[in-house]
Amino acid sequence: MKQPVVYILTNRRNGTIYVGVTSNLLQRIFQHKNNAVDGFTKRYNCKMLVYYEYFETMTDAIVREKQIKSKSREYRLGLIE
């Protein structure tokens, strides 16, 4: 079942933060944890899921992802906490 979701990964407490969007959270987290895809999360070892938020449509999820990415680091840490 596809369910749009925005998620945040980190490599450690107060470490590097990654914000992403997917339609299959379990599969995507599996890919991150097993370094199946080259990129930011592999380079910075971001494998710890610390936040997620489900949406009705992928469009809504993408809008929210962009909103979170445009905010400050402090805002993102507040979501995590």
Side-chain angles (χ1 to χ4, degrees):
M1 181 175 111
K2 293 191 175 196
Q3 178 69 57
V5 61
V6 172
Y7 63 98
I8 298 177
L9 300 176
T10 188
N11 56 356
R12 66 180 187 279
R13 185 170 178 79
N14 295 320
T16 303
I17 296 173
Y18 173 81
V19 179
V21 65
T22 185
S23 62
N24 187 334
L25 185 60
L26 292 177
Q27 178 184 8
R28 191 67 178 128
I29 297 305
F30 178 85
Q31 291 170 342
H32 286 301
K33 287 186 179 271
N34 292 285
N35 293 320
V37 179
D38 289 335
F40 185 91
T41 58
K42 183 176 180 179
R43 185 173 334 123
Y44 292 98
N45 199 35
C46 294
K47 297 180 180 181
M48 188 183 331
L49 179 65
V50 292
Y51 178 84
Y52 62 94
E53 192 175 333
Y54 286 108
F55 292 89
E56 291 292 320
T57 68
M58 184 56 81
T59 302
D60 292 340
I62 292 169
V63 167
R64 178 66 171 146
E65 177 198 27
K66 289 179 181 182
Q67 179 189 41
I68 292 171
K69 284 183 173 182
S70 73
K71 301 287 186 180
S72 67
R73 177 177 174 82
E74 289 73 28
Y75 176 84
R76 285 180 247 149
L77 290 173
L79 286 177
I80 294 166
E81 293 297 324

